[in-house]
Amino acid sequence: MRSAGRDVLSLALMDARNHTLHLLGQYQQALEVVHFVVPELPTLNPPLWELGHVGWFQEWWIGRNMQRARGPRCDPSHARLASIEPSADRWWDSGHVPHGQRWTLDLPGVANCRAYLLDTLEGTLELLEKAGDDDDALYFYRLCLFHEDMHAEALSYTAQTLGLSLDKGLLQAFTPPTMTLREPLLVPATVWKLGSPGPAQAVGFVFDNEQAQHEVSVPEFEIDAQPVSWAQFVEFVDDGGYDQPEFWQPAGWDWLQAAAKSEGRRGPRYVEQIGVASGAVMQTRFGKAMRMLGNQPAMHMSWWEAYAWCRWAGRRLPAEVEWEVAAHTAARRGFRWGDVWEWTGSTFRPYPGFTPGPYADYSQPWFGTHKVLRGASFATRARMKHPKYRNFYLPERDDIFCGFRSCAL
C-alpha cells in the first residue's frame, strides 16, 4: 500500500472509511444513550472528537491543501481553503486543541459527525481522480489512509478501555491467535540498513521517523521466535515478580506501586485472575471476562513489565534494529510477528539525518520520552503492517494491544 496507485488508493480510502463508520456504529449502540460521555483519561479521546478528527485531518491535508501535489515538499504553514464545516478547526485540530479541552467542546451530534466523514471522503476521492501518478502527488492520500487506520486501531483499544461490547465479527477479529512455540533463533552478525530510504531514493510512501536510512553493525544475537506467551508470563507472576523490586527499573517500580495503590494490581492490565497452580489467565476483553490460553501472546503489558520479566528470566528486550533484522531475515525460520505490538529496548529517537514531514507533530514531539514498539497487532489493518514501521508510546502505556519478546544476554 505504500506504493499504491490511484485506483488501489481509492478503494483503500473507501475501505478505511467503511471500517471507521462500522466502529462508529459500535460506539453509537453502546454510548448514544449517555450522549457519548466517556471518562476523561490521558489514554483516550472522546469518541466523537476522534471520529471528527479523522475527517478533519483528511480535509486539512487534501481538500483544503493547495500544495497537496508537492507531497513532502509542501509548506505546512501556507494558507488553507475553508472547511466545509465552519467549526472544524476549532473542534478537531489536534495541534491547537489540547487533550484536556476535548471534553468541553460543543461537538456536533453523531448524525452530523457521520455526514462530515462521508462528505470529506467524497471530496477526497474526487480530487484523487485528478491527481498525478507520482509519489509526491499521492503522498497525502497515502498519509491520510494510514492516519485513519491508526485512529481505527485507537478506537479499538478505546473500546477495550471502556469495556464496550463489539459485534461478533469484530470480537473474532480482535482475538489474539494461538502460537506454535518454537525455540529461539540465532541471527548472524550483519551490517544492516536501518530505516527506509529518504525522499530522493524512496519509492512510495515513507514515514518521517523511518528516515534517513543508515548502516548499523549488528553483532550476532539470539531472539525469541514469537512473543512471550501467557504460560511464560504466568511463571514470572507465580515467582513473585510483581513483589521483587530487583527486577524493576526504579521508575518502573514507582509506576507499579502507584498502580497497586490505585487499582490493587499485581498483574497485567485487565487481568482479573491469574492462576498460580493452573496457569489460567482470565482477562477482560471488551467488557467480558475470557480465559486466555497458555500459547496466546501475553498482552497489555507496560514497557516496565516487559523489562521486569526479562530481568527475571535472565534475558533482555531486543533493540529495534535487532527486531528489524530478524523480521527481514528470519521469517522463513519461524520468526513470527503481527499478533501484538512488541516493546523493544530502544528509546524513540530520530535517525541520523531526520527531517520532519509536513505533519511535523507526528514524530518530533515524542523523541526521547517514548519507547519503540515494532510489528503490529490483530487490530492493525493489514496494509499498515510493515517491518520498518516504528510505533511509539510512553513506557507506562498498557492499554494498547502490546506484548514483547526477548533476546539472550
Side-chain angles (χ1 to χ4, degrees):
M1 284 306 304
R2 291 184 173 208
S3 299
R6 287 179 300 176
D7 290 344
V8 174
L9 268 175
S10 179
L11 292 172
L13 286 162
M14 287 188 282
D15 172 72
R17 190 56 47 92
N18 285 337
H19 185 57
T20 298
L21 291 170
H22 184 57
L23 289 168
L24 172 57
Q26 307 293 300
Y27 277 85
Q28 187 173 1
Q29 186 172 353
L31 296 177
E32 192 168 25
V33 68
V34 295
H35 308 291
F36 286 86
V37 173
V38 298
E40 184 175 339
L41 299 173
T43 56
L44 55 81
N45 284 305
L48 291 182
W49 186 92
E50 185 126 29
L51 289 155
H53 170 73
V54 167
W56 174 88
F57 188 92
Q58 194 173 100
E59 190 189 22
W60 176 262
W61 288 112
I62 298 175
R64 301 170 60 187
N65 180 6
M66 296 302 290
Q67 294 189 15
R68 58 183 171 269
R70 300 188 66 193
R73 296 178 293 107
C74 161
D75 175 7
S77 64
H78 81 280
R80 294 298 205 281
L81 298 174
S83 171
I84 59 173
E85 168 49 66
S87 296
D89 294 344
R90 181 173 65 85
W91 288 332
W92 294 311
D93 183 350
S94 55
H96 293 91
V97 183
H99 185 266
Q101 290 184 13
R102 296 170 191 175
W103 275 261
T104 64
L105 296 167
D106 55 333
L107 293 172
V110 64
N112 288 338
C113 184
R114 185 185 297 272
Y116 182 65
L117 286 167
L118 292 170
D119 290 344
T120 50
L121 176 63
E122 183 179 358
T124 293
L125 296 177
E126 288 177 357
L127 291 170
L128 178 57
E129 285 183 6
K130 306 167 189 173
D133 294 318
D134 59 283
D135 286 334
D136 282 354
L138 298 177
Y139 174 86
F140 285 112
Y141 297 93
R142 294 165 178 163
L143 172 66
C144 289
L145 171 65
F146 294 138
H147 174 266
E148 183 156 0
D149 285 342
M150 291 179 209
H151 278 276
E153 183 159 359
L155 286 165
S156 302
Y157 63 68
T158 296
Q160 165 74 338
T161 299
L162 297 174
L164 303 188
S165 178
L166 301 179
D167 64 36
K168 186 176 180 181
L170 284 175
L171 280 176
Q172 187 173 1
F174 293 168
T175 297
T178 57
M179 307 178 295
T180 300
L181 304 182
R182 301 176 182 270
E183 292 297 313
L185 304 168
L186 189 65
V187 180
T190 187
V191 175
W192 186 252
K193 289 185 177 180
L194 183 62
S196 300
Q201 302 83 28
V203 176
F205 179 87
V206 175
F207 288 97
D208 62 3
N209 62 53
E210 296 172 13
Q211 301 171 17
Q213 192 173 65
H214 57 291
E215 289 189 346
V216 179
S217 295
V218 184
E220 178 183 81
F221 62 96
E222 178 198 282
I223 189 168
D224 292 339
Q226 65 281 313
V228 168
S229 68
W230 276 119
Q232 292 171 299
F233 199 85
V234 165
E235 293 182 24
F236 168 69
V237 179
D238 187 16
D239 201 33
Y242 278 83
D243 299 304
Q244 301 181 57
E246 60 267 27
F247 298 136
W248 299 75
Q249 287 196 0
W253 185 250
D254 291 344
W255 168 84
L256 178 61
Q257 300 318 298
K261 185 175 181 180
S262 63
E263 305 170 34
R265 277 176 56 182
R266 273 295 183 267
R269 188 177 178 97
Y270 306 121
V271 168
E272 306 301 327
Q273 178 184 340
I274 191 159
V276 174
S278 66
V281 175
M282 295 295 292
Q283 188 170 46
T284 299
R285 306 205 63 255
F286 302 105
K288 182 179 179 181
M290 297 181 64
R291 177 166 180 162
M292 310 310 291
L293 303 177
N295 60 346
Q296 286 177 304
M299 188 174 63
H300 290 304
M301 281 78 181
S302 67
W303 187 89
W304 304 122
E305 290 164 291
Y307 175 92
W309 184 94
C310 289
R311 283 287 300 271
W312 166 83
R315 295 177 70 80
R316 62 176 175 83
L317 289 169
E320 68 168 316
V321 66
E322 292 173 322
W323 193 98
E324 187 173 306
V325 169
H328 280 87
T329 66
R332 292 184 178 180
R333 294 194 288 133
F335 185 87
R336 174 179 176 144
W337 65 276
D339 298 328
V340 290
W341 289 105
E342 300 177 33
W343 291 108
T344 71
S346 300
T347 298
F348 183 52
R349 301 190 191 281
Y351 289 160
F354 167 82
T355 302
Y359 177 33
D361 286 346
Y362 177 58
S363 302
Q364 201 163 225
W366 320 117
F367 289 139
T369 57
H370 290 45
K371 296 293 184 181
V372 175
L373 300 96
R374 288 302 194 102
S377 82
F378 49 78
T380 308
R381 304 308 301 276
R383 56 180 163 256
M384 275 289 296
K385 297 181 180 180
H386 196 283
K388 289 188 177 290
Y389 181 74
R390 306 175 79 196
N391 205 350
F392 46 95
Y393 281 100
L394 289 168
E396 62 264 28
R397 288 293 292 270
D398 54 9
D399 55 308
I400 58 177
F401 304 125
C402 56
F404 65 97
R405 76 179 73 214
S406 68
C407 283
L409 294 173

